[in-house]
């Protein structure tokens, strides 16, 4: 069965949270924020990072910095797109159906801010907070909107747990976008795409 659509994750796949956090931390004079975020939000399995929850700095900023820094940090926090995101989507637009599925409850607003809304994606799905990736049910809205069978959709994401294992569990074709050159070996059937440092803005 051929691929009829490509769906993307948002955070750390298209949106560069590391650069955004780093810039905001520099703006408030606390460069240690990024390391504290990594220590608190990276999920490891057998010593390998398999998930990164950088978005938590937006929802739980007081966990990572002094209370006095929260307001100015959030004012300065504006994670950019990865440098390769817009050209990749532009090259694919018109050649294949494009979709997006994110666990981020503010996903639609993020897309609009970067000009990546209906002009780019044919379908945008925000997972129900009670049924988030990697739960296979999280992928159901995108399947329904596109009207395709799961094997007809390739799902591209950075997270081993949420995106690769989640998509595979839902029957989609999992594509691992390895932004950090992690030493994880994807199983058969999972395509790995590497990412160079130049993809960062």
């Amino acid at each position: 069965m051929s691929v009829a659509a490509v769906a993307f994750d948002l955070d750390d796949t298209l949106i560069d949270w590391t650069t955004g956090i780093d810039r905001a931390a520099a703006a408030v004079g606390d460069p240690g924020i990024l390391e504290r975020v990594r220590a608190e939000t990276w999920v490891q399995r057998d010593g390998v990072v398999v998930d990164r929850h950088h978005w938590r700095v937006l929802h739980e900023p007081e966990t990572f910095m002094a209370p006095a820094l929260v307001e100015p940090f959030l004012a300065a926090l504006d994670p950019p797109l990865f440098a390769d995101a817009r050209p990749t989507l532009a090259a694919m637009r018109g050649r294949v159906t494009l979709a997006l599925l994110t666990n981020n409850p503010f996903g639609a607003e993020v897309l609009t801010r970067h000009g990546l809304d209906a002009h780019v994606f044919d379908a945008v799905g925000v997972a129900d907070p009670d049924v988030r990736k990697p739960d296979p049910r999280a992928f159901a809205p995108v399947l329904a909107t596109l009207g395709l069978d799961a094997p007809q959709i390739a799902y591209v994401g950075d997270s081993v747990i949420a995106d690769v294992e989640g998509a595979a569990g839902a029957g989609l074709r999992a594509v691992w976008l390895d932004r950090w050159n992690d030493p994880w070996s994807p199983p058969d059937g999972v395509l790995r795409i590497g990412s160079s440092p130049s993809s960062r803005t």
Side-chain angles (χ1 to χ4, degrees):
M1 187 177 292
S2 62
V3 171
V6 178
F8 288 85
D9 169 55
L10 180 63
D11 297 312
D12 291 318
T13 295
L14 301 177
I15 301 296
D16 185 357
W17 274 94
T18 298
T19 294
I21 293 169
D22 200 35
R23 290 174 178 173
V28 301
D30 184 359
I33 292 174
L34 183 58
E35 285 305 316
R36 291 194 292 275
V37 170
R38 287 173 171 165
E40 288 283 335
T41 70
W42 285 14
V43 178
Q44 296 193 33
R45 182 190 294 159
D46 299 324
V48 177
V49 179
V50 291
D51 209 350
R52 292 169 169 87
H53 299 290
H54 292 140
W55 53 268
R56 278 182 50 199
V57 74
L58 177 62
H59 301 280
E60 307 164 19
E62 65 283 348
T63 303
F64 310 104
M65 66 197 78
L69 295 182
V70 169
E71 187 173 343
F73 176 86
L74 293 179
L77 182 63
D78 186 20
L81 290 171
F82 282 102
D84 57 12
R86 200 179 301 277
T88 298
L89 293 170
M92 297 176 72
R93 182 71 178 160
R95 299 175 60 191
V96 65
T97 298
L98 293 177
L100 183 131
L101 174 64
T102 178
N103 282 345
N104 186 339
F106 303 105
E109 291 89 336
V110 172
L111 291 176
T112 298
R113 188 171 75 245
H114 288 291
L116 297 179
D117 44 20
H119 300 294
V120 175
F121 294 104
D122 301 288
V124 173
V126 176
D128 185 316
D130 296 324
V131 188
R132 295 178 181 236
K133 300 178 296 176
D135 191 316
R137 294 173 296 171
F139 296 85
V142 167
L143 292 172
T145 301
L146 295 177
L148 298 171
D149 293 328
Q152 293 178 281
I153 303 173
Y155 189 79
V156 181
D158 69 290
S159 168
V160 169
I161 294 176
D163 301 323
V164 177
E165 295 176 352
L172 286 73
R173 299 189 187 192
V175 179
W176 180 39
L177 180 56
D178 182 12
R179 286 284 187 197
W180 294 272
N181 296 312
D182 288 322
W184 180 70
S185 298
D188 291 343
V190 173
L191 175 67
R192 176 193 173 274
I193 299 175
S195 182
S196 69
S198 64
S199 68
R200 297 191 182 281
T201 54

